[in-house]
Amino acid sequence: MNTTLLEINDLQSEIFNKNSSTTVVNNVSLTVGQGETVAIVGESGSGKSMTALSILGLLPRPNGAITSGQIVFDAQNLTELGEQDLNRFRGSEISMIFQDPMTSLNPVFTIGNQLIEALRSHEKISKKEAWLRAVEALRDVHISDAESRMKQYPHELSGGMRQRIMIAMALITRPRLLIADEPTTALDVTVQAQILDLVKELRDKRNLAIVLVTHDLGVVADIADRVYVFYAGNVVESASVHDLFAKPQHPYTQGLLRSVPRGTDNRLQSIRGMVPDLTSIDRTRCAFADRCDFVQQHCLDTEPVLEAADIEHNVACHFYNNLKKRESNADTSA
Amino acid sequence: MNLNTQGMDTLRLRKTKGPWRRVFDRLLEDRYSSAAAIVLILIIVLGLTAPLYVPFDPTETNPADRMQGMSGTHWLGTDSLGRDLFSRVMSGTTTSLSLGIISVLIGLLFGGAIGLISAYFHRAESVLMRIVDILLAFPSILIALAVVATLGPGVEKAAIAVGIANIPLFARMARSQFISVAKREYVEASRSVGASNARLILKHVIPNALGVLIVYSTVRLGQAILMGTTLGFLGLGAQPPSPEWGAMVSSGRNFLTSNPIEVIVPSVAIFITVICANLLGDGLRDAMDPRGTKSYMPVKQRNRRSMLPKKKVEQ
Amino acid sequence: MRNLLLRRLLQLPVVIVGVLTLVFLIQVLTPGDVAAVIAGDYATPETVEEIRESLGLNKPLYMQYFTYLGNFFVGDLGNSVFTGRPVLDEILRTLPNTVELMLVALVISTTVGVSSGIIAALRPGSLFDKTAMFGALAGLSIPNFVFGLLLILLFSVTLGVLPTSGRGGSLLDISNWPYVIMPAVALSLSSIGSLARVSRSSVLEVMPEDYMRTARSKGLSSRTLIGKHALKNASLPIITLLGLQLGFFLGGSVVIETVFGWPGMGRLSVQAIFNRDFPLVQGCIAIFAIFYVLANLIVDLFYGVIDPRTRVRQ
């Protein structure tokens, strides 16, 4: 948290179609300190995964591209690099794990083959040495019987096991940053908890920085230091986990928190309306206006920008100051 | 806790146009397929009306005029027996095309029936599908040859032969199609309110499976025409002096050196017809394919994936 | 793996008996009296009776069927009505020539078709892609006999560089190679087309897969990315298609061998059909089909080697 490891400035990424383009990441800025865990939260289609993919230049090819902004990792701007130079960072300094462990491993190669390949593409070591390192990497993620797992194919293993292997593969080169794109979404609840515990353990052991993309606020509360809330390709609020859960400022964040089931309150609310279609979004107004309970004329005229609401707490809403009052009014009238 | 459910409504709301309309619209967008469809229609019309406009009797020989090059009288020249090639190739259109169409219809009808029966009657399924499997052990042209060997040569027999060769292919396709339609929600729903089997099949299953089968027929049409002309070329299909294209190539073959146009004219006719049928088949298949958006849109795809129920995985 | 092999091997006799049953039906379903058909229009009743006797046509149908099956499995496929020689001898004489032609065609269509399909997939929308895909469609739309005749017209008649017909001799002697070039190219035409299309689409289908993104995230070179991760997955449909191509080659050989006077089984079977030589027709078709079944068995085994998932499927 002391020194910055990754800094994203005004990132804009687009997906190009035949005659149109869609801005999926819109002027996003965020920072990740060394050893820090930063969560990116949002609904599907909010641009959170696209931001994560942009970092390593992994936007879908050939129609996805970063159109402006910088991604600075360890004083190197990654957006300036070509594929070949980027490959020096991919899987070595920065690794990534993905949502669906069932499809993220190549079905026709053994686990060992894929682990060793990850290692040998960055380090000049013998096959035998790489094999030993791979076995060790599997043990680090608590996979029993590591030697025989090396010879197995992905389809022979369960989802939780495969996600462990993905983690082992990502961390085998001892990267400084791990990008985890919805790493537990496709897993069973019990397995989710095990995977999260594993990630926490490895993070603490290795002083690993993590960018965690998720839609699950429970996961955020469990693991993250700081949070960025995404909506329609924008960051709408950023704060420390404590601040965000204690005093959410943006009406969207408040809505998200209300839609999380809690032990004490059995009223569960959802945010009305639906996720806007990014292909037809109007960037001159507040993207959340259609779903906001507190919408004003000003929201339809001007797009709000991130401003400091508190120390290290930013929010993109014209009226965040007045919300509290309005909310209590709304509660009494309802 | 899961924020993904809202995406579902968005996707449902987008479905507004009827499925056929959508297929048609997409086909129109595809320049090549639309052009191919137009050319194909033109070929059919020109073929059907050929007797009205061809300048010569396509089968009448005239030794005095043999092997003449292109001229004002004989637009595409004459063959080794002095017959006008333009008249022959245009008159042959109906034979070659109807051979292809009839054989595809035979495949569609019988293959479709076999597919339907085996999709609905489990007892019949194993027997029928075994037979289909064995028929698939033969390359289609071999089935056609075997049938011709049985029935003897002739243009009608060639149509039947190619048709029979089509049956197992259609049966396979139809069966999987009927099964997948039967599993869809509305069929399940009608079943749950007590619709009879026959009613279900007639009202829901056949109309819904038919679309894919018709597209498949178009895809097969090009190959069927090719196979028909092949039998004609081998002398096992249409018999001389019939102006069937394959047979024309076969008789022109002996004069390849002295009168190459005799081979080239029917060859070009086959090529244009088949490539149009293939283009149309490709276009229809792409237009029918729900994933067939040619430039793929990853954002929507990601939405769709996260809509799926969480996979049950045991550790 | 062993399971799969065993299951396929157990199915084999069933399929072969099925094939033979259908082949047997050729004779049964032929309209009219087969013996009379074979004897021709001017035969005396005695000759017809003689033929009926020699082919066992006077016996009850089920007897004929079991005799046919039994004889087939001991290698007795009957005698050619036309030449009087054993059908098996005729087939064994011509089969190697057909296989030789097919193998050359297989090599040509695999190298040309698969490689152009992959290159097209790596640059979708490029000039190469468009040209290759139009060429592939054209290849699928030209009858192979037409293409064969065009080759003859160009290389034999006009340029005079290749012989029009015949086989020459063994391919071990390089001077015989010119004979096989045109027939093999003509035979592989449509296969090149379909292989190019399928290779292109299967590579394109593999590219957006999650595991390809994982591979990219590991920082692999594009050579490893395409050559290892994409190709091995994309090769599955290509290999399936290769098996089907063998069927096309078998069918195509019937036509191509006729066009180029290639002394193989395809030409033999066409002549047999013309001569109403039923035992020879049946023998040829049965051997063709069994050859095809075996070829596909080998393809399935290959499939198991490449895709580990099929090995455990019950």
Side-chain angles (χ1 to χ4, degrees):
Chain A
M1 286 154 233
N2 30 30
T3 45
T4 304
L5 182 65
L6 177 77
E7 186 175 349
I8 298 181
N9 294 321
D10 297 324
L11 179 72
Q12 181 154 334
S13 296
E14 294 180 48
I15 302 288
F16 296 93
N17 279 325
K18 233 181 194 168
N19 345 302
S20 65
S21 74
T22 307
T23 305
V24 288
V25 179
N26 187 34
N27 288 327
V28 164
S29 299
L30 60 84
T31 56
V32 182
Q34 266 168 16
E36 189 185 26
T37 302
V38 168
I40 298 181
V41 192
E43 291 164 292
S44 23
S46 62
K48 55 187 197 310
S49 285
M50 289 296 157
T51 306
L53 290 172
S54 298
I55 299 174
L56 277 180
L58 293 176
L59 288 170
R61 288 194 298 187
N63 45 0
I66 296 172
T67 44
S68 69
Q70 293 177 313
I71 297 170
V72 182
F73 177 83
D74 199 19
Q76 168 69 57
N77 184 0
L78 300 181
T79 57
E80 288 170 348
L81 299 179
E83 272 305 284
Q84 232 167 12
D85 289 321
L86 209 48
N87 276 343
R88 285 190 289 113
F89 288 88
R90 288 174 174 161
S92 124
E93 295 279 349
I94 309 174
S95 288
M96 189 154 180
I97 57 176
F98 300 95
Q99 175 174 349
D100 195 345
M102 307 307 276
T103 54
S104 292
L105 288 163
N106 195 326
V108 298
F109 296 107
T110 59
I111 304 300
N113 184 324
Q114 299 185 55
L115 280 166
I116 288 170
E117 171 191 73
L119 193 55
R120 301 230 313 164
S121 59
H122 296 290
E123 292 176 37
K124 292 229 173 303
I125 56 172
S126 70
K127 273 192 179 160
K128 198 172 172 192
E129 213 174 321
W131 175 273
L132 293 174
R133 283 272 296 277
V135 171
E136 188 194 310
L138 288 181
R139 291 206 179 109
D140 285 348
V141 295
H142 308 305
I143 284 177
S144 58
D145 217 0
E147 268 103 353
S148 63
R149 299 287 184 216
M150 292 282 284
K151 291 174 204 140
Q152 284 183 304
Y153 286 92
H155 70 91
E156 297 172 83
L157 305 169
S158 69
M161 190 73 94
R162 284 191 225 182
Q163 196 61 296
R164 279 170 195 271
I165 285 160
M166 282 296 291
I167 295 171
M169 199 160 82
L171 299 185
I172 193 168
T173 50
R174 309 222 155 233
R176 284 191 282 167
L177 176 65
L178 175 71
I179 303 167
D181 185 0
E182 305 250 13
T184 56
T185 307
L187 302 174
D188 255 2
V189 182
T190 48
V191 183
Q192 280 184 14
Q194 292 170 9
I195 294 291
L196 277 183
D197 286 344
L198 175 67
V199 171
K200 277 196 283 186
E201 177 200 321
L202 292 166
R203 171 192 65 183
D204 298 342
K205 227 189 258 176
R206 303 187 178 189
N207 192 32
L208 190 66
I210 297 177
V211 172
L212 176 78
V213 176
T214 183
H215 61 259
D216 189 337
L217 288 168
V219 172
V220 174
D222 189 22
I223 192 169
D225 299 318
R226 277 190 312 116
V227 188
Y228 289 83
V229 180
F230 272 56
Y231 188 81
N234 297 315
V235 175
V236 294
E237 186 163 4
S238 69
S240 70
V241 167
H242 179 268
D243 281 359
L244 190 92
F245 280 82
K247 346 172 243 191
Q249 297 292 326
H250 197 282
Y252 175 65
T253 317
Q254 293 169 354
L256 282 187
L257 288 170
R258 272 200 304 273
S259 63
V260 175
R262 288 177 209 214
T264 49
D265 188 0
N266 51 12
R267 284 185 311 165
L268 201 61
Q269 295 178 358
S270 65
I271 306 172
R272 69 189 169 90
M274 51 199 174
V275 190
D277 183 1
L278 284 178
T279 52
S280 56
I281 201 159
D282 180 2
R283 294 283 183 201
T284 61
R285 61 206 285 268
C286 175
F288 188 61
D290 293 339
R291 301 172 71 185
C292 184
D293 289 332
F294 315 105
V295 60
Q296 307 273 318
Q297 187 55 43
H298 189 44
C299 306
L300 302 174
D301 296 335
T302 319
E303 187 184 21
V305 291
L306 270 184
E307 48 189 291
D310 205 338
I311 306 156
E312 301 226 322
H313 192 152
N314 299 316
V315 59
C317 174
H318 295 305
F319 298 104
Y320 69 90
N321 276 323
N322 307 330
L323 289 180
K324 233 183 185 96
K325 214 163 60 199
R326 288 176 183 283
E327 193 179 21
S328 54
N329 288 346
D331 271 357
T332 46
S333 63
Chain B
M1 233 184 229
N2 196 322
L3 308 175
N4 285 327
T5 43
Q6 278 132 342
M8 207 120 91
D9 308 298
T10 341
L11 276 168
R12 268 198 200 130
L13 282 175
R14 281 196 202 121
K15 261 191 177 177
T16 42
K17 282 183 189 170
W20 281 110
R21 185 60 208 270
R22 222 173 45 228
V23 168
F24 188 68
D25 283 355
R26 278 164 94 172
L27 193 67
L28 281 186
E29 266 174 42
D30 187 341
R31 276 177 299 159
Y32 297 109
S33 304
S34 325
I38 292 167
V39 175
L40 214 51
I41 291 169
L42 202 68
I43 291 172
I44 292 173
V45 172
L46 285 178
L48 288 174
T49 56
L52 301 178
Y53 64 82
V54 294
F56 294 90
D57 180 340
T59 53
E60 195 183 88
T61 57
N62 187 356
D65 281 348
R66 65 196 298 263
M67 297 197 203
Q68 300 210 332
M70 293 191 237
S71 68
T73 343
H74 300 289
W75 295 351
L76 298 176
T78 59
D79 69 5
S80 56
L81 296 171
R83 294 173 294 196
D84 178 51
L85 279 172
F86 174 71
S87 304
R88 277 179 73 72
V89 80
M90 294 319 287
S91 311
T93 309
T94 35
T95 319
S96 295
L97 259 181
S98 56
L99 208 156
I101 292 172
I102 289 170
S103 65
V104 166
L105 285 180
I106 291 174
L108 177 65
L109 210 65
F110 289 90
I114 293 174
L116 186 63
I117 292 169
S118 56
Y120 280 91
F121 303 100
H122 289 289
R123 208 166 291 173
E125 188 205 357
S126 55
V127 177
L128 284 174
M129 280 299 123
R130 269 308 86 71
I131 294 175
V132 165
D133 279 346
I134 288 167
L135 278 173
L136 286 174
F138 295 87
S140 354
I141 183 88
L142 270 196
I143 300 184
L145 281 181
V147 175
V148 170
T150 310
L151 300 178
V155 67
E156 312 82 12
K157 291 160 189 164
I160 295 172
V162 179
I164 290 177
N166 271 327
I167 290 176
L169 300 170
F170 274 93
R172 255 289 165 81
M173 187 77 194
R175 175 173 168 270
S176 65
Q177 197 52 38
F178 285 130
I179 287 176
S180 91
V181 170
K183 275 188 193 146
R184 281 183 210 160
E185 288 152 38
Y186 51 84
V187 177
E188 294 277 343
S190 327
R191 193 190 300 273
S192 70
V193 297
S196 72
N197 242 345
R199 193 184 149 77
L200 270 178
I201 292 173
L202 281 176
K203 273 213 73 169
H204 293 296
V205 177
I206 291 186
N208 278 291
L210 209 58
V212 174
L213 288 178
I214 287 173
V215 170
Y216 189 61
S217 304
T218 322
V219 172
R220 289 299 307 169
L221 180 64
Q223 290 309 306
I225 296 173
L226 274 188
M227 218 189 280
T229 55
T230 300
L231 289 179
F233 173 79
L234 290 173
L236 301 169
Q239 297 297 304
S242 160
E244 194 272 330
W245 295 338
M248 283 174 73
V249 175
S250 174
S251 58
R253 200 187 141 197
N254 302 320
F255 309 95
L256 194 60
T257 333
S258 48
N259 195 28
I261 197 163
E262 203 178 329
V263 165
I264 290 171
V265 168
S267 299
V268 170
I270 299 173
F271 175 64
I272 293 176
T273 311
V274 175
I275 203 168
C276 285
N278 283 342
L279 273 171
L280 182 61
D282 283 1
L284 270 174
R285 192 175 44 192
D286 286 349
M288 281 290 276
D289 187 352
R291 302 169 307 158
T293 32
K294 275 180 184 159
S295 54
Y296 95 104
M297 173 70 192
V299 179
K300 276 184 207 157
Q301 210 175 43
R302 295 188 67 78
N303 274 344
R304 219 170 286 164
R305 182 172 305 149
S306 52
M307 271 168 50
L308 296 173
K310 283 184 184 175
K311 283 171 192 151
K312 287 276 167 266
V313 185
E314 68 286 352
Q315 172 81 8
Chain C
M1 185 72 195
R2 207 166 289 150
N3 258 347
L4 181 84
L5 180 63
L6 203 67
R7 202 157 40 87
R8 299 293 309 212
L9 282 177
L10 284 176
Q11 277 173 1
L12 195 60
V14 182
V15 175
I16 289 179
V17 169
V19 164
L20 292 178
T21 309
L22 290 180
V23 166
F24 174 75
L25 285 178
I26 292 176
Q27 221 182 68
V28 179
L29 294 179
T30 299
D33 185 352
V34 174
V37 172
I38 292 171
D41 292 342
Y42 308 105
T44 58
E46 290 77 38
T47 326
V48 174
E49 201 50 47
E50 224 169 85
I51 291 172
R52 198 190 311 280
E53 187 85 24
S54 70
L55 292 178
L57 292 175
N58 45 0
K59 290 190 205 127
L61 211 53
Y62 71 92
M63 283 280 285
Q64 288 180 43
Y65 176 61
F66 286 115
T67 315
Y68 181 73
L69 282 190
N71 285 345
F72 189 91
F73 284 114
V74 295
D76 176 8
L77 278 64
N79 293 329
S80 160
V81 178
F82 198 65
T83 63
R85 281 200 294 250
V87 167
L88 191 64
D89 289 1
E90 297 279 359
I91 288 176
L92 288 180
R93 185 170 55 81
T94 50
L95 182 64
N97 298 345
T98 297
V99 171
E100 176 183 288
L101 182 61
M102 280 174 55
L103 286 179
V104 179
L106 190 66
V107 171
I108 294 175
S109 55
T110 312
T111 43
V112 179
V114 175
S115 57
S116 59
I118 291 169
I119 297 172
L122 294 182
R123 293 191 179 26
S126 67
L127 185 66
F128 181 89
D129 181 29
K130 283 179 181 155
T131 319
M133 285 308 111
F134 182 78
L137 188 69
L140 286 170
S141 306
I142 301 175
N144 48 15
F145 57 88
V146 166
F147 189 61
L149 290 176
L150 290 181
L151 287 179
I152 293 177
L153 197 58
L154 182 63
F155 291 102
S156 305
V157 178
T158 312
L159 299 175
V161 287
L162 291 172
T164 48
S165 73
R167 176 172 168 261
S170 159
L171 278 188
L172 295 175
D173 182 353
I174 203 160
S175 67
N176 289 320
W177 285 23
Y179 287 97
V180 82
I181 292 175
M182 284 200 296
V185 168
L187 188 56
S188 49
L189 178 73
S190 74
S191 297
I192 292 176
S194 39
L195 279 168
R197 282 161 62 121
V198 166
S199 311
R200 177 182 182 270
S201 68
S202 45
V203 170
L204 277 183
E205 228 158 75
V206 164
M207 293 311 272
E209 288 284 347
D210 285 352
Y211 55 77
M212 289 304 292
R213 193 179 53 193
T214 307
R216 277 172 77 199
S217 82
K218 290 200 277 189
L220 303 179
S221 67
S222 55
R223 211 182 55 196
T224 319
L225 214 56
I226 307 295
K228 182 180 170 184
H229 286 264
L231 265 194
K232 198 165 177 193
N233 283 285
S235 65
L236 297 170
I238 299 173
I239 284 175
T240 311
L241 186 67
L242 275 180
L244 291 176
Q245 290 316 309
L246 289 173
F248 279 109
F249 288 154
L250 286 174
S253 70
V254 171
V255 182
I256 294 301
E257 289 179 5
T258 307
V259 173
F260 289 95
W262 188 265
M265 239 177 98
R267 201 174 62 146
L268 183 73
S269 45
V270 174
Q271 286 165 349
I273 292 175
F274 272 121
N275 296 335
R276 310 295 276 165
D277 191 343
F278 283 95
L280 190 54
V281 171
Q282 288 174 311
C284 285
I285 290 177
I287 297 295
F288 265 144
I290 289 169
F291 186 87
Y292 185 48
V293 170
L294 290 176
N296 273 300
L297 181 72
I298 295 169
V299 166
D300 279 347
L301 294 182
F302 252 111
Y303 211 93
V305 172
I306 287 182
D307 189 352
R309 284 165 298 184
T310 54
R311 290 179 210 165
V312 284
R313 220 174 267 164
Q314 290 308 302

